Amino acid sequence: MHTIIEPFRIKSVEPIYFNTKEERKNILETAFYNPFLIHSTDVLIDLLTDSGTSAMSSNQWAGIMQGDESYAGSPSFFRFEKTIQDITGLPLVIPTHQGRAAEKILFSIFGGRGKYILSNTLFDTTRANIEFSGAEGIDLVCEEGKHPGIPAPFKGNMDTGLLEAFIQEKGAENIPLVILTVTNNSGGGQPVSMQNIREVKKICVENTIPLFIDACRFAENAWFIKLREAGYADKTIPEIVKELFGYADGCTMSAKKDAFANIGGFLAMRNESLAQQCRNLLIMTEGFPTYGGLAGRDLEAIAIGLIEVMDESYLQYRIRSIEYLSNKLVDAGVPVMLPAGGHAVYLIADEFLPHIPIEQYPGQALAAALYLEGGIRSVEIGSLMFGKYDTAGKLIPAQLELVRLAIPRRVYTQSHIDYVAEVIIEVYKKRDQIKGLTITEEAPALRHFTVKLKPHN
Ligand code: F0G
């Protein structure tokens, strides 16, 4: 078989600004060892996120020019609405400026003190919106999902036994919503199987609990179902996607991922009175229901991106390019989450740096080391992002200590990825010299965005 090539040519390019290791040492200090505080022009390869960082297609840019900027009833909205209805089968579509705006609206309605929102694994902003409402977010990922080094086809699945037990224990009346994240971002970009979605839906129906999908990476998840799940090899991606959303009462979506848009999101659902409640909240903070915090041109770009992302030659290239990086690291003995995720490779930081105690945030120390060595920006997904303190002020660690290398869509070429692998392998060889970090300043919620650290001495 030939090399799977990028299924596109490049028409417009952006420069990468090179800097030296000495310069990066200063930059890192100035940014308090927090990659979110580094200026993007100081980054060589930016793998901080796959969110909003996609290269748009010439068709999407053409769509941008077609955007109708009317306040109400723009044709761009109706194209957006119809595309989402066609793809998902969900009839009621509400645009938002990004995924977390959709979450904020949803959990303002479903959240509240004494309530539990159950998930395979909640993303950080989703959890924050749930907790802000007073409710508790509960992760019930399957057993395979808790062992990063052991491969399994659907490590993003929810543990249906735990789901049933939780409902039994707390009572269905205290569980207003179950939300499945596809793919499971915080759990390593791992997919959820159709069978699992079907089983979760059955339990939800038996207990009269609505099921929502956090659909950010729905197309990547559908591709994994096609590749790995019995009975799906001959189905088209739109067929798989339609079936997936068919089990849902609604979804939240960040169009900054699998819609190749630089901004945008939406809520979609079946229940008219719920949609009405959502629109009422939408008008207060996002905007009128036919634009919801977006420009008409954004609605056009999203509608076009949602179709493009389901192209099989794109998905084959996309998933293969992530696996390509993962394989290179595995061959060099670097501990990575297996198998490779749909949008990112995850380094297992506590195995990479076993000499650094969790209280000194090995994931953050590794992210800092990758930047210093080769100007690569990544993000810690571990105890800095998800850790909490007990009443005595002692850190309660996250389930996994990972560093995510998220690959922006259609942005980097194979030689960029080869360079990334070289840098990581170099850092791995020198791992004994890497020191832990101590927090000097932190916010009460979502602290990883603004936290300040210094090397532990
Ligand atoms: N849900 C998941 C699974 C996500 O990965 C994200 C964002 C959101 C919701 C929120 O969407 O950013 O449009 O408000 N994830 C980005 C990331 C930020 O880097 O993984 P948003």
Side-chain angles (χ1 to χ4, degrees):
M1 177 139 155
H2 294 300
T3 302
I4 295 167
I5 60 170
E6 288 85 353
F8 49 80
R9 300 182 296 178
I10 297 165
K11 192 188 304 250
S12 179
V13 298
E14 283 179 284
I16 289 174
Y17 302 100
F18 292 92
N19 48 21
T20 64
K21 197 166 170 180
E22 205 44 45
E23 287 166 334
R24 289 195 292 272
K25 190 167 175 288
N26 288 330
I27 292 165
L28 204 51
E29 271 171 32
T30 314
F32 302 99
Y33 298 83
N34 180 351
F36 285 100
L37 303 181
I38 298 174
H39 294 198
S40 63
T41 42
D42 291 331
V43 175
L44 270 67
I45 307 282
D46 203 345
L47 309 183
L48 183 69
T49 179
D50 63 322
S51 182
T53 52
S54 300
M56 289 212 293
S57 66
S58 48
N59 254 329
Q60 284 180 291
W61 283 110
I64 292 269
M65 291 306 294
Q66 299 277 344
D68 180 308
E69 304 302 341
S70 305
Y71 188 94
S74 158
S76 300
F77 170 73
F78 295 113
R79 245 188 306 278
F80 171 89
E81 181 187 47
K82 180 162 189 321
T83 305
I84 294 163
Q85 288 168 338
D86 288 349
I87 290 173
T88 65
L90 297 166
L92 307 166
V93 177
I94 299 169
T96 60
H97 82 272
Q98 63 184 90
R100 67 198 70 180
E103 292 162 6
K104 170 79 180 157
I105 290 170
L106 193 68
F107 296 115
S108 299
I109 296 165
F110 280 110
R113 197 159 294 283
K115 302 266 173 34
Y116 301 94
I117 309 288
L118 313 187
S119 179
N120 46 349
T121 311
L122 296 162
F123 186 65
D124 61 354
T125 59
T126 324
R127 174 173 290 282
N129 274 300
I130 290 167
E131 290 177 357
F132 188 76
S133 80
E136 224 179 294
I138 307 288
D139 293 342
L140 301 173
V141 77
C142 64
E143 190 56 34
E144 302 93 289
K146 295 173 189 161
H147 305 280
I150 304 168
F154 290 103
K155 292 170 77 166
N157 283 354
M158 192 176 210
D159 186 321
T160 50
L162 290 181
L163 173 63
E164 281 185 309
F166 195 95
I167 299 171
Q168 274 282 317
E169 190 194 328
K170 303 286 183 188
E173 66 282 6
N174 296 315
I175 303 165
L177 193 76
V178 171
I179 183 160
L180 282 175
T181 313
V182 305
T183 56
N184 189 359
N185 183 11
S186 307
Q190 301 292 320
V192 180
S193 72
M194 196 71 89
Q195 188 187 341
N196 189 248
I197 298 171
R198 215 177 286 129
E199 286 168 6
V200 169
K201 172 67 177 175
K202 185 164 171 287
I203 296 168
C204 286
V205 168
E206 284 163 7
N207 292 281
T208 346
I209 301 171
L211 172 65
F212 265 58
I213 305 283
D214 177 339
C216 297
R217 300 176 180 87
F218 72 98
E220 289 167 3
N221 200 92
W223 181 252
F224 282 122
I225 288 175
K226 186 178 169 84
L227 284 189
R228 296 180 186 170
E229 191 162 350
Y232 288 91
D234 295 329
K235 296 224 180 326
T236 66
I237 296 299
E239 282 168 348
I240 296 171
V241 167
K242 196 65 156 281
E243 181 181 344
L244 190 157
F245 284 106
Y247 299 117
D249 297 289
C251 73
T252 58
M253 171 80 186
S254 167
K256 301 172 75 173
K257 284 84 169 175
D258 269 357
F260 300 119
N262 301 124
I263 196 70
F266 58 85
L267 279 157
M269 61 200 69
R270 300 183 194 281
N271 183 299
E272 184 57 63
S273 89
L274 174 62
Q276 206 46 52
Q277 279 177 276
C278 291
R279 288 192 198 105
N280 292 343
L281 289 173
L282 184 86
I283 290 176
M284 275 199 287
T285 56
E286 292 286 291
F288 189 72
T290 63
Y291 72 85
L294 292 169
R297 54 179 171 269
D298 300 322
L299 298 170
E300 294 280 353
I302 294 166
I304 295 164
L306 286 169
I307 302 291
E308 285 180 0
V309 79
M310 294 194 291
D311 176 70
E312 293 201 7
S313 60
Y314 162 73
L315 285 168
Q316 181 189 37
Y317 140 79
R318 170 74 176 159
I319 301 304
R320 172 63 198 146
S321 62
I322 314 279
E323 190 184 50
Y324 172 82
L325 174 58
S326 176
N327 289 351
K328 283 198 161 213
L329 299 176
V330 170
D331 289 347
V334 177
V336 298
M337 181 156 203
L338 294 173
H343 65 296
V345 170
Y346 294 69
L347 305 175
I348 307 173
D350 47 347
E351 286 181 30
F352 199 115
L353 301 172
H355 60 285
I356 300 182
I358 300 299
E359 292 74 19
Q360 293 173 28
Y361 303 103
Q364 192 74 359
L366 179 53
L370 298 180
Y371 177 73
L372 181 65
E373 184 66 34
I376 296 167
R377 178 153 70 167
S378 56
V379 68
E380 191 254 21
I381 299 203
S383 292
L384 189 74
M385 188 180 274
F386 289 118
K388 298 230 161 87
Y389 295 112
D390 67 14
T391 45
K394 192 173 154 42
L395 179 74
I396 309 167
Q399 205 154 53
L400 301 172
E401 297 299 328
L402 304 172
V403 168
R404 186 185 73 175
L405 306 152
I407 315 293
R409 293 169 183 76
R410 308 191 290 209
V411 169
Y412 291 114
T413 65
Q414 189 169 332
S415 55
H416 290 123
I417 299 299
D418 286 336
Y419 170 82
V420 170
E422 285 164 20
V423 170
I424 295 170
I425 292 165
E426 219 143 288
V427 171
Y428 188 59
K429 286 185 185 146
K430 298 191 279 200
R431 60 191 181 280
D432 296 348
Q433 298 164 26
I434 300 170
K435 289 209 170 74
L437 297 168
T438 315
I439 293 178
T440 58
E441 224 182 286
E442 63 185 302
L446 295 173
R447 63 174 175 172
H448 55 287
F449 288 129
T450 53
V451 69
K452 295 181 178 174
L453 305 106
K454 63 172 192 197
H456 188 83
N457 40 43

